[in-house]
């Protein structure tokens, strides 16, 4: 798919044009996410690491000890799904629980040394794969992409909170 580069406008887009352009973004983000998820699961299958368990390990590696509800919120998945992925990781001795001084009934989930080794090996492989992708993407383009996607995630935050206002969550 060849796109002609478009100059970045200095002013924000009018709502109608913004909506059309964001639909272009969403049309790419969904297939990209699914392709990357399939690639990750295929590459990690030999180690028995599903995309869900990989996400739990990565969040713990990045953020440190977290509760299951925190893991769910950070991934925008249900607490139940986060619990299943955590349980799966625990059966492989990649995570363990520790008492949570802030909440007696919600223990902290912690990476074990084996979990740390596993996620570090996975991310090393993934970074090598990403570094091998063709293209001439600049740092400024990545910065813009991260900024726009971050604003979209924030714009849909009320969906996570069960909101039904007139904003993006109304879609």
């Amino acid at each position: 798919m060849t796109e002609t580069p478009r100059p970045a406008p200095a002013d924000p887009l009018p709502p109608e044009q913004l909506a059309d352009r964001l639909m272009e973004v969403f049309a790419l983000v969904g297939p990209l996410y699914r392709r990357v998820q399939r690639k990750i699961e295929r590459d990690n299958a030999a180690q028995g690491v599903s995309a869900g368990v990989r996400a739990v390990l990565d969040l713990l590696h990045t953020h440190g000890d977290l509760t299951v509800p925190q893991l769910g919120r950070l991934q925008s998945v249900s607490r139940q799904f986060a619990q299943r992925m955590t349980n799966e990781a625990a059966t492989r001795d990649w995570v363990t629980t520790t008492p949570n001084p802030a909440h007696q009934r919600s223990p902290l989930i912690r990476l074990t040394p084996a979990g740390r080794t596993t996620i570090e090996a996975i991310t090393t492989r993934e970074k090598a794969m990403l570094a091998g992708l063709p293209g001439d993407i600049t740092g400024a383009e990545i910065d813009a992409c991260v900024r726009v996607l971050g604003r979209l995630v924030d714009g849909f935050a009320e969906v996570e909170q069960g909101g039904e206002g007139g904003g993006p969550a109304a879609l």
Side-chain angles (χ1 to χ4, degrees), residues 12-32:
L13 293 172
E16 306 79 30
Q17 192 176 1
L18 175 64
D20 287 340
R21 295 306 312 276
L22 288 177
M23 292 300 287
E24 291 177 51
V25 171
F26 295 141
L28 294 171
V29 168
L32 173 63

Side-chain angles (χ1 to χ4, degrees), residues 30-127:
L32 173 63
Y33 172 78
R34 287 184 290 282
R35 288 177 185 179
V36 169
Q37 185 172 16
R38 283 192 296 271
K39 174 77 171 144
I40 287 170
E41 286 193 335
R42 192 173 19 225
D43 290 353
N44 293 331
Q47 288 79 26
V49 184
S50 67
V53 170
R54 184 240 176 264
V56 165
L57 297 178
D58 189 53
L59 286 171
L60 295 171
H61 189 255
T62 302
H63 297 283
D65 300 353
L66 296 167
T67 64
V68 168
Q70 289 170 326
L71 287 165
R73 280 192 298 275
L74 286 168
Q75 297 177 79
S76 295
V77 299
S78 71
R79 186 203 56 76
Q80 292 83 358
F81 181 78
Q83 184 67 64
R84 282 196 314 274
M85 296 302 101
T86 300
N87 291 348
E88 188 176 322
T91 65
R92 301 290 302 267
D93 294 321
W94 291 333
V95 300
T96 188
T97 59
T98 185
N100 181 355
H103 194 287
Q104 249 182 353
R105 291 179 23 185
S106 189
L108 291 169
I109 310 302
R110 173 176 290 164
L111 272 181
T112 64
R116 184 170 307 283
T117 299
T118 298
I119 192 60
E120 287 173 354
I122 288 169
T123 55
T124 297
R125 280 196 317 273
E126 291 171 356
K127 286 178 182 180

Side-chain angles (χ1 to χ4, degrees), residues 137-154:
I137 301 170
T138 68
E141 289 171 319
I142 297 291
D143 291 343
C145 180
V146 169
R147 186 179 66 250
V148 169
L149 292 175
R151 289 183 64 189
L152 290 172
V153 167
D154 291 346

